[in-house]
Amino acid sequence: YESALEDHSVNQLEASYEVGCNQDGMISVFRSAVSTSSTGERYVTHYAETFATKNGGLLIADDFFTVDQQAYTDVLVSAVTSQIEAMDQKDALFDSGWETTVRKAFDKDQFYLQADPDGMRFVVFYQEGELGEDAPYSFALPASDLEAIF
């Protein structure tokens, strides 16, 4: 950040966070960093971490699923695809070819947990603009829908 400021490539950097879950021995945090360049261009990067509160250890996607990475990736990508297909304005929100991009841009480390009165949600997120300029970038998947692999 400091070198970016010295190079005048970043004028401003803002960060925010949201605690998605703080229960069941876990804390899950979703963070965003927004940088504004000297030309006024805005860049947003999202991050998330989930920790075990007992020992502070970082929990990764593999820790939550009972199947291998390829199997849970297939299930998660399919669930995200189903959510998008159910959207009324999907053609206006998502770039053409989004079906391929949902799979190609999927990153097993881009997730966090979200506590919900109806149960836990496993939230898969993409970076802003990856699926379309105005497209939503996060998809909350009810853990109950993932019971076979969760």
Side-chain angles (χ1 to χ4, degrees):
Y1 173 70
E2 290 174 0
S3 66
L5 282 176
E6 287 174 14
D7 295 343
H8 305 289
S9 58
V10 173
N11 266 0
Q12 183 177 5
L13 179 67
E14 297 174 33
S16 62
Y17 72 93
E18 167 192 332
V19 175
C21 168
N22 186 5
Q23 64 187 44
D24 300 328
M26 298 175 286
I27 186 165
S28 196
V29 181
F30 176 72
R31 302 179 295 123
S32 297
V34 180
S35 61
T36 306
S37 73
S38 55
T39 61
E41 292 178 85
R42 185 176 177 266
Y43 303 96
V44 181
T45 307
H46 301 293
Y47 309 90
E49 294 86 20
T50 300
F51 301 98
T53 56
K54 185 175 184 178
N55 62 13
L58 179 67
L59 300 172
I60 61 174
D62 293 351
D63 296 324
F64 294 94
F65 299 106
T66 59
V67 295
D68 66 22
Q69 180 182 335
Q70 186 60 54
Y72 73 71
T73 295
D74 290 344
V75 171
L76 295 174
V77 167
S78 178
V80 168
T81 300
S82 293
Q83 281 193 12
I84 293 171
E85 286 175 342
M87 293 180 184
D88 292 335
Q89 300 292 322
K90 73 175 177 277
D91 293 333
L93 295 172
F94 295 89
D95 289 344
S96 64
W98 64 263
E99 299 91 338
T100 303
T101 308
V102 165
R103 179 166 294 281
K104 284 175 124 177
F106 177 82
D107 182 337
K108 71 179 183 69
D109 297 322
Q110 292 186 171
F111 79 92
Y112 64 99
L113 301 178
Q114 184 179 65
D116 186 81
D118 297 328
M120 192 69 66
R121 294 181 181 275
F122 190 88
V123 181
V124 172
F125 67 91
Y126 294 81
Q127 296 303 318
E128 282 189 34
E130 271 187 315
L131 302 178
E133 189 174 323
D134 297 320
Y137 56 85
S138 66
F139 302 88
L141 311 173
S144 59
D145 291 356
L146 306 173
E147 281 180 337
I149 64 166
F150 206 54

